[in-house]
Amino acid sequence: MFRKRPPPEEERRVRANDREYNEKFQYASNCIVTSKYNIITFLPVNLFEQFQEVANTYFLFLLILQLIPQISSLSWFTTIVPLALVLSITAVKDATDDYFRHKSDNQVNNRQSQVLIRGSLQNEKWMNVRVGDIIKLENNQFVAADVLLLFSSEPHGLCYIETAELDGETNMKVRQSVSVTSEPGDPNNLASFDGEVVCEPPNNKLDRFCGTLYWRDKKYTLTNQNMLLRGCVLRNTEACYGLVIFAGPDTKLMQNSGRTKFKRTSIDRLMNTLVLWIFGFLVCMGVILAVGNAVWEREVGSLFQSYLPWDPPVDNFLFSAFLSFWSYVIILNTVVPISLYVSVEVIRLGHSYFINWDQQMFCSQCNTAAAARTTTLNEELGQVEYIFSDKTGTLTQNIMSFNKCSINGQTYGEVADPLGPQPKKLDFTPFNPLADPGFCFYDDTLLESVKVGDSHTHEFFRLLSLCHTVMSEEKSEGELVYKAQSPDEGALVAAARNFGFMFCSRTPGTITIREMGQPVTYTLLAILDFNNIRKRMSVIVRNPEGRIRLYCKGADTVLLERLHPCNQELMNITSDHLNEYAADGLRTLALAYRDLTEDEWEAWAESHRCAGKATSCREDRLAATYDQIEQDMMLLGATAIEDKLQEGVPETIAILSLANIKIWVLTGDKQETAVNIGYSCKMLTDDMTEVFIISGHTVQSVRQELRRARERMIELSRTRDGGKEEGTGGWSEACFMGNGVREGQGRDVAGGVKQLQCSPPPPSNLTDNISGEFALVINGHSLAHALEADMETEFVSTACACKAVICCRVTPLQKAQVVELIKKHKKAVTLAIGDGANDVGMIKSAHIGVGISGQEGIQAALASDYSFSQFRFLQRLLLVHGRWSYLRMCRFLCYFFYKNFAFTMVHFWFGFFCGFSAQTVYDQYFITLYNIVYTSLPVLAMGIFDQDVPDHRSLEYPKLYEPGQLNLLFNKREFFICIAQGIYTSVVLFFVPYTVLSDATQSTGVPLADHQTFAMTTATALVIVVSVQIALGTGFWTVINHVCVWGSLGSYFTIMFALHSQTLFRIFPSQFHFVGSAQSTLLQPVVWLTIALATAICIVPVLAVRFLKLALRPRLSDTVRYTQLVRQKKRKAVSRSAGGGWRSAGSVSEGRLGTRGGSRRSGYAFAHQEGFGELITSGKNMRLSSLALATFASRHSSSWIDTLRRKKHTHTHTPPSTSEECSSAPSCVSGSVPPLSNSSSILGGSQDTPIEEDVGTASAQNTQTVPTSSAQTQPALAPDSEATAPQDSALALSTGIFTSPAVRYHGGDSPGGWTVSLGTVQEALFGWKGIAVHTNASNSPGAPSVAKETSQLE
Amino acid sequence: MMASSYSTKEEDGHPSGASSHGGPGAVKSKKPDNTAFKQQRLPAWQPILTAGTVLPAFFVIGLIFIPIGIGLYVTSNNIKEYEIDYTGADINSSCYSCAKSYSWNSTTSCVCSVEFILEQPFESNVFMYYGLSNFYQNHRRYVKSRDDSQLNGDQSALMNPSKECEPYRTSDGKPIAPCGAIANSLFNDTLELYYVDSNGTRNAVPLVKKGIAWYTDKHVKFRNPGGNNNLTVAFQGTAKPVNWAKPVYELDPSDPDNNGFINEDFIVWMRTAALPTFRKLYRIIQKKSSTTPTLPSGKYFLNITYNYPVLSFDGRKRVILSTISWMGGKNPFLGIAYITVGSMCFFLGVVLLIIHHKYDTRNSSADIPN
């Protein structure tokens, strides 16, 4: 890492089995070094690093100054002791960190791997693996470096890897070797393999690799499909061989684990500013005193020379003043105490431990405690204003559960009385021994209906068990595991299973299910696959009796239009049900079937075959044929699937918004889904004045929509306010009701002004005037425009006036951009929370990043500053820990500056009486120990343990969080108050002893005005005053606080007596000048009277002011504290349930939810990608699944199976292979036309011209086919297909970068094509994230042209 | 720097989430301990500044401070103190000529006497102080210009004084004992007090010159080199401070316990004052009998051997005669301050009480606007 590199690589050349050749390039070896030091370099390097800190350098500078005798006003040890202490604490911490890094490095570097050297396999340590080596990897081994797959034991050169360490996805991925190298079929031939790879230099792009293999005078293109990256684990593959391309620090894993950006809190920045100010103050003091010194030396000192001649180098008063300036800089340096930074770190560390230790943030299901991964941000948790949340996996569990259904006009699953006792969970086991015990359903009428043998119900569940693309694995007898592509499907199949229609297994041509215990095998004639345009899928099966039937499930909007007219009545009832379900935030699907005659089937099969073999526009022709047969269907019913929210999400969101935190949901999901979730987690409510949807596809339309939204907001709030009160009353109400509360109050005024200047006429003082609750939903493609420089401010001002903002279809990059935008324009503290690799960007760019841990994938948690396993813990993290941290840090800082000013400024006043000679008031030992012993522990104890209100109170009154957001507890004003108080104290501490002692004598007649007595008196008074002050400041006196406060006082007296003892003086007579002064001073009543007087004068005004503040302007926390005291006194349990406020609010809106009716259309439950049906019918995937099956048997400890099993026990059946975003990732390009959208413009797919042509033809074809098939549905359908056509092509692009040509040319059932179309197989199975993201990023610029094209088509 | 966020554990996979390798029994719960400390539930006293605690506190402070103040004031007023400025800056002053003519170099001493009348008799022990004004004993360069090792009798320091003593470290190549500016500027006026009784005769008031220094100074901090045996020998090879008329071992030849470094006048001088105007104990006039006052009222003469020039830097010299009480000398400020602070507290208490009753927004009900 410290190695000097030759100029950055342009390209990498690696020749296999040729170390000499490769050594020329000096590629990094596979040895990784994450440690910073070794034993020899530790001291110098660590010291060097520490002295890069300005504060440390400053103290070093002071130390050097002190070595100059003419300047030295303090002994050298007064600076070096604290400095050494601080340096050594930091050094010990660094050393421990580094020790663990060494350990982990060693462990990794010493792993064994098999390297092919001179034709034979040899065991080598990882660190000795070189670029160009061929290494052998075995099953379940970690890949040692980034290697090019040359040979795999599996057919077709395939091998399977798990990339959890890289991107957090636990699903398996397939890699394939270059065909030529896998051909030999014998690994021994690899010893003589001498191909040369030319490829890109090391980079951190996990999803991209491009290179070329030159072998035997031929060129072979290499892609990421051929690479195994370090950190992956080989699965289901006996062995494979690979050529090391990147090693050690060059690997993608290491390139990705870059140092995370160092985050600073606003308090940190404020502290640094203040420290700079204090430096300025220090210099001013120095200058004043130096001028004083000049005057004094000229007027008095020069005359006084007979007793006190000038030091030899000093020959005039100016030079003396110059020296005196530096002397004063030295003795006044304690206003910026060196222990400040260390103390702050210690306090933060303590707070971090409290977060780690919090039981209430521990999730017992996943056995994960909260973790503060960064220890430097805690107090910022108390100042958060904006939360950016991911949806899937963060707000939702990504678990779908079959919740309700409507069969033949009868709805099931309705819980009769929501207020009644929790109905009993149905027990399926007596009825169906194969039922999944994790499945929950509460309505036994449905089960009765199944038992009775109602034909509709049977047909309903038969459909669910047949019409899907789930695959099953029988792990052991009777234990079936379903692998579904989307969780929705898994939930439906699992439901059917429980109701007696168990899907057992499938082959390319058959589906075997158990109907009420009887195995029945259906012949699978065709799968009419799902895609985002069709929004439905169908299967055509022949039952054992030979009847052919088409089963179809899909979005109600699509399906209900394709029903046979005789269904009208049923359709109306089912529609009502669907609306009800949708209103409850459920994801719905409609189910239908159609009987086909043999002739119909034959005819259609023929046309289908033709379409499938078509060389051009195959996709569209297929779609047209599908459309042809999915007509005149008979409605069966509808299903409602609950996208389960994480526990406590609505409550948490309610509490957080009561705390004035604005929550933005940034999700890759479809708009419908996102809005649905918004409603179900109470971000959006029907109480809201208006929900604005921004989904324009062009810059102009987005701008227009934003403006319109804002104008409407103003208009609405004007009518609202106007109706109530005129004038100021209305205005103030607007301020309080709207979200503009903050903006109205000062600090964002500047921002508003800026907006006025730089943005094209935005309505003035917008945010001030907005009242009422608004929400904004913005689509990814619109967001892309909104984030452009000239629209930024417009977007921010609109969005920030809204109570809730939902951004859907956003890319990871956009997530980060949105966060950056708010950071830039609002100067507010932002927090991003997410669970997936796609959230890493926003987690890193937000002030605070929170990762959901304990779920699949650790990428987000690794990048985060805090991690825990449940979204609901966020309220505790912010409202309890964050609030306390902020409070404690503020109190700590206030007190810290106070005590140092009180301590140091005494020297300033003394300067006027000692000829500005920089004589210290105190004993030098006192100066040394004051900050590190006498006053450090009480303030640390307060900074770590203080609480103003107990934790449950802060959750009960979320408004308590507000002072943090407004930055009320420690700001420049508070700082000046502290400083003023400190100066006041110093004045008292100097002048009270001055006036009292100047004439006072001991009871023996010896005057008390000698320097040592004065020093003792002042020092004792100081220690007592600051102790009383901390006692007043401490609101929560634990044992530790008592020990610290009393202990500090005790230690002061003990140490003083010890230092002034005769014993020490006898040993070092020249070091302890103060011998005996402690005894002789502290025995004097006058001294104690002086101390008491000074203390009273210092404390009484503070007490009075605090009391007045409490009485006249109590803060909410004071009131809460006070009422608590009252309650304690009354010993009366006030029955106020925790969080009563939000609960009642919640129930109100819940009540309304039911009455809303069909105001909102549900997002349909279909979240997966197409291409799956084709795989099933072609049989390609069977090989993989049987292989997987075989390995599952031998690999019981496989983590993802276990994860699955665990989930099965806790929740309903969940398919294992869904990564959280698989539903949305590839389709971010464009949503379907949103029902609420007021835009008709369309976003195209991508820049690639061939694809654009596809877009054209696709939409053209779609629109052409519609009229031929069904004239009556055309008006409703047309906009739909127009909008979704581009998306189709985008999908084709995302899956087709590597493989789509193959798909086109080889057709559906050609077995020869399957190795080449591997990409499709794999990505369809496991979700394609990387390329989808890649596509998304590049899609926006192409938009206008495509839009134009499509409009021409219209 | 690359991989600070990278560690083997992470690469080894199966982190916390996938902890289900063994059976459920093998899974170690990572649940944090449920201790009061870790859960921040330590029992704690949570004081609040309520009217019930603050207002009584003010009254209590007031009630304590006022009597103390009165006591102090009365005590202080009972102390008798008499101060004489004998600097000789004023042309009418009897020491004017001495002050004018004096320079460090003159060999002959100038004597002047000041006459004063004590209106009231001084009962009990009377302490005689000399006071200097505008004398910066607290100047940094002055304060550090001493060698405590030397003063503690350290032989090597005697012959090789600390560098801090510069420029009074050596004289003519010989080390100065005691070195440094403090010692060099030792106050060397001699003061004698005469009581003029009713028939006009001058009676010398006996002045005790021992017992004026701190115990620790006299017995611990200051020691003569080589014990107290023969100081002349002990100080051989050293030079006297430049301004001194006689070497250190002749400070009080009459009393070996008061000679050399342990001479109490010297020790008192070496205890530097905190402020430029200060007084130092010079002599004690002990009470002879319980019947007669130590210093009866009447006419007194103060005889001054004027050696110490202060006029050059606008300094003043005083002699103070004072009795003391349990709390030391006359100190009216302390009593007044106590009375003032006490009354202020009381007053504040009343004001706050009124404010509390009039404006307190808090009622004891538990209603909190949320």
Side-chain angles (χ1 to χ4, degrees), chain A residues 873-1068:
Chain A
F873 295 154
L874 194 59
Q875 55 176 316
R876 200 170 162 79
L877 183 74
L878 297 186
L879 298 187
V880 177
H881 288 285
R883 195 178 161 278
W884 275 346
S885 281
Y886 175 70
L887 174 93
R888 291 163 178 172
M889 189 55 76
C890 293
R891 288 193 172 172
F892 165 82
L893 288 175
C894 278
Y895 176 75
F896 210 84
F897 287 120
Y898 160 78
K899 82 174 165 92
N900 282 299
F901 267 81
F903 166 62
T904 310
M905 285 307 285
V906 173
H907 293 304
F908 179 75
W909 310 120
F910 187 55
F912 289 89
F913 298 90
C914 67
F916 306 94
S917 60
Q919 170 63 26
T920 58
V921 176
Y922 316 106
D923 180 8
Q924 51 190 350
Y925 295 102
F926 180 79
I927 295 174
T928 313
L929 298 177
Y930 175 77
N931 261 320
I932 57 177
V933 178
Y934 303 144
T935 58
S936 62
L937 286 180
V939 70
L940 275 184
M942 182 185 77
I944 293 174
F945 300 107
D946 207 31
Q947 303 180 5
D948 55 345
V949 295
D951 49 353
H952 57 94
R953 297 279 143 166
S954 5
L955 294 175
E956 193 176 331
Y957 303 105
K959 279 269 175 281
L960 286 172
Y961 191 74
E962 229 160 59
Q965 296 172 322
L966 300 174
N967 211 6
L968 289 182
L969 298 186
F970 189 75
N971 46 37
K972 285 166 186 160
R973 186 170 163 270
E974 291 294 320
F975 170 74
F976 283 119
I977 293 174
C978 298
I979 298 279
Q981 198 193 342
I983 293 174
Y984 167 74
T985 306
S986 72
V987 169
V988 173
L989 286 179
F990 178 76
F991 285 100
V992 169
Y994 167 77
T995 37
V996 176
L997 295 186
S998 54
D999 286 333
T1001 64
Q1002 291 188 3
S1003 39
T1004 56
V1006 177
L1008 280 169
D1010 65 292
H1011 181 241
Q1012 297 187 349
T1013 307
F1014 191 84
M1016 273 304 296
T1017 313
T1018 316
T1020 311
L1022 173 70
V1023 169
I1024 288 173
V1025 167
V1026 296
S1027 294
V1028 172
Q1029 197 76 40
I1030 190 97
L1032 277 179
T1034 305
F1036 194 76
W1037 283 81
T1038 63
V1039 186
I1040 300 164
N1041 293 82
H1042 278 287
V1043 168
C1044 288
V1045 173
W1046 302 116
S1048 289
L1049 275 177
S1051 76
Y1052 166 72
F1053 288 109
T1054 319
I1055 294 174
M1056 268 301 151
F1057 276 103
L1059 288 179
H1060 296 177
S1061 73
Q1062 302 175 13
T1063 329
L1064 269 183
F1065 176 80
R1066 290 216 171 90
I1067 304 168
F1068 306 105

Side-chain angles (χ1 to χ4, degrees), chain A residues 2 32-34 69-70 72 104 107-108 111 142 165 230 249 253-254 257-259 296-297 303-304 306-311 327 354 356-359 362 367 862 881 884 888 910 913-915 917-919 945 947 956-958 994-996 1000-1007 1009-1014 1035-1038 1040 1062 1065 1069-1070 1073 1075-1077 1080 1086 1089 1092-1093 1096-1097 1100 1104 1106-1108 1110-1112 1114 1116 1120-1123 1125-1127 1202 1206, chain B residues 1-6 8 10-15 17-18 20-21 27-32 34 37-40 42-51 54-55 58 61 65 68 72 104 127 129 135-136 138-144 148-149 152 167-168 181 185 212 214 216 220-221 243 271-276 279-281 308-309 312-313 324 326-331 333-334 337-338 341 345 348 352 355-356 359-366 368-370:
Chain A
F2 292 115
I32 58 159
V33 185
T34 59
Q70 276 75 28
S72 168
S104 81
Q107 199 191 333
V108 172
R111 282 193 192 145
F142 276 102
E165 309 308 326
R230 181 174 179 144
L253 175 71
M254 299 303 288
S257 51
R259 170 169 284 188
W296 186 88
E297 290 289 355
L303 307 173
F304 195 56
S306 50
Y307 292 115
L308 185 62
W310 284 340
D311 274 346
S327 302
F354 281 132
N356 294 344
W357 284 333
D358 194 338
Q359 265 197 324
F362 172 78
N367 195 22
L862 286 184
H881 288 285
W884 275 346
R888 291 163 178 172
F910 187 55
F913 298 90
C914 67
S917 60
Q919 170 63 26
F945 300 107
Q947 303 180 5
E956 193 176 331
Y957 303 105
Y994 167 77
T995 37
V996 176
T1001 64
Q1002 291 188 3
S1003 39
T1004 56
V1006 177
D1010 65 292
H1011 181 241
Q1012 297 187 349
T1013 307
F1014 191 84
F1036 194 76
W1037 283 81
T1038 63
I1040 300 164
Q1062 302 175 13
F1065 176 80
S1070 55
H1073 309 296
V1075 58
S1077 33
S1080 79
V1086 179
L1089 287 171
L1093 184 69
I1097 295 177
V1100 164
R1106 290 209 181 175
F1107 176 76
L1108 278 178
L1110 272 179
L1112 301 179
L1116 181 59
V1120 171
R1121 220 175 135 89
Y1122 181 73
T1123 47
L1125 180 85
V1126 171
R1127 279 182 221 185
D1202 274 356
R1206 260 185 294 132
Chain B
M1 295 309 140
M2 34 187 219
S4 57
S5 65
Y6 168 87
T8 328
E10 281 152 11
E11 200 189 18
D12 267 335
H14 317 301
S20 45
H21 288 275
V27 179
K28 202 180 138 229
S29 176
K30 289 178 188 153
K31 188 167 187 165
N34 187 16
F37 176 75
K38 288 190 175 180
Q39 301 305 320
Q40 305 194 64
L42 283 176
W45 173 53
Q46 299 181 49
I48 311 177
L49 297 179
T50 57
V54 174
L55 297 181
F58 279 110
I61 296 175
F65 270 45
I68 291 181
L72 287 172
W104 279 112
F127 294 79
Y129 303 92
F135 192 99
Y136 285 81
N138 58 4
H139 196 279
R140 177 168 57 89
R141 277 185 285 124
Y142 187 85
V143 169
K144 70 173 185 184
D148 276 334
S149 296
N152 195 35
Y168 300 108
S185 57
I212 56 172
W214 284 21
T216 41
V220 179
K221 202 172 178 181
N243 286 2
R271 176 156 289 279
T272 53
L275 301 165
R279 56 168 85 171
K280 284 179 184 291
L281 189 54
Y308 205 71
S312 61
F313 55 91
I324 62 166
W326 58 272
M327 52 151 285
K330 198 174 183 73
N331 201 347
F333 171 79
L334 199 56
Y338 262 82
V341 170
C345 276
L348 261 179
L352 292 183
I355 290 175
H356 172 68
Y359 297 103
D360 192 11
T361 50
R362 258 183 333 208
N363 38 20
S364 49
S365 76
I368 299 170
N370 204 340

Side-chain angles (χ1 to χ4, degrees), chain A residues 702-730:
Chain A
V702 171
R703 191 190 301 272
Q704 217 163 20
E705 281 173 9
L706 284 171
R707 287 220 183 119
R708 211 175 295 144
R710 223 168 24 206
E711 281 157 19
R712 181 108 182 92
M713 274 188 232
I714 294 169
E715 191 184 312
L716 281 173
S717 35
R718 216 173 271 150
T719 50
R720 235 175 112 104
D721 294 340
K724 282 171 185 158
E725 229 178 306
E726 297 293 325
T728 50

